[in-house]
Amino acid sequence: QVQLVESGGGVVQAGGSLRLSCAASGRAFSMYAMGWLRQAPGKERESVAFISRSGGSTYYADSVKGRFTISRDNAKNTVYLQMNSLKPEDTAVYYCAADPQPRDYVPNEYDYWGQGTQVTVSS
């Protein structure tokens, strides 16, 4: 089992940047593929980015491709989401999630979730 805690959310103007962090504790972090997902009010949860256990495979939603970058530091048990050129439509609660399966593609479901961090982008 792994526990996840997100940080780094906040309020930023359109065009600005934020860096989200997700710190993991518990079972070996490197055994988990990791993802960032978001949910805006009244909308379905959306997978934003994914990174495999080694970091060798990544995935981005079309809506964030070229603006967001997912990375991980297995030595620090942390996964990051660098968000640049933020838009008002990026406003959402962002969740970090972990998948214990050895896959290089986005899972249908993640096994473990953080509590979420709010990102608000003002126009």
Side-chain angles (χ1 to χ4, degrees), residues 24-122:
S25 61
R27 189 182 166 201
F29 177 68
S30 60
M31 298 296 290
Y32 294 89
M34 301 296 297
W36 285 97
L37 302 92
R38 67 186 181 186
Q39 188 163 22
K43 294 187 177 181
E44 292 189 356
R45 189 171 59 203
E46 174 189 20
S47 181
V48 174
F50 165 88
I51 189 165
S52 61
R53 291 177 169 185
S54 66
S57 295
T58 56
Y59 156 87
Y60 298 94
D62 287 343
S63 57
V64 306
K65 204 171 292 183
R67 300 188 297 121
F68 290 12
T69 302
I70 189 171
S71 61
R72 66 188 297 160
D73 186 336
N74 286 346
K76 295 183 178 180
N77 291 353
T78 303
V79 62
Y80 305 97
L81 186 68
Q82 178 67 43
M83 305 186 296
N84 299 329
S85 302
L86 282 162
K87 304 175 181 180
E89 52 263 43
D90 294 319
T91 296
V93 178
Y94 283 72
Y95 297 92
C96 167
D99 172 30
Q101 300 301 319
R103 59 178 119 233
D104 290 332
Y105 53 90
V106 181
N108 290 328
E109 292 291 341
Y110 287 90
D111 285 20
Y112 304 102
W113 293 80
Q115 82 288 351
T117 186
Q118 176 70 46
V119 171
T120 302
V121 184
S122 61

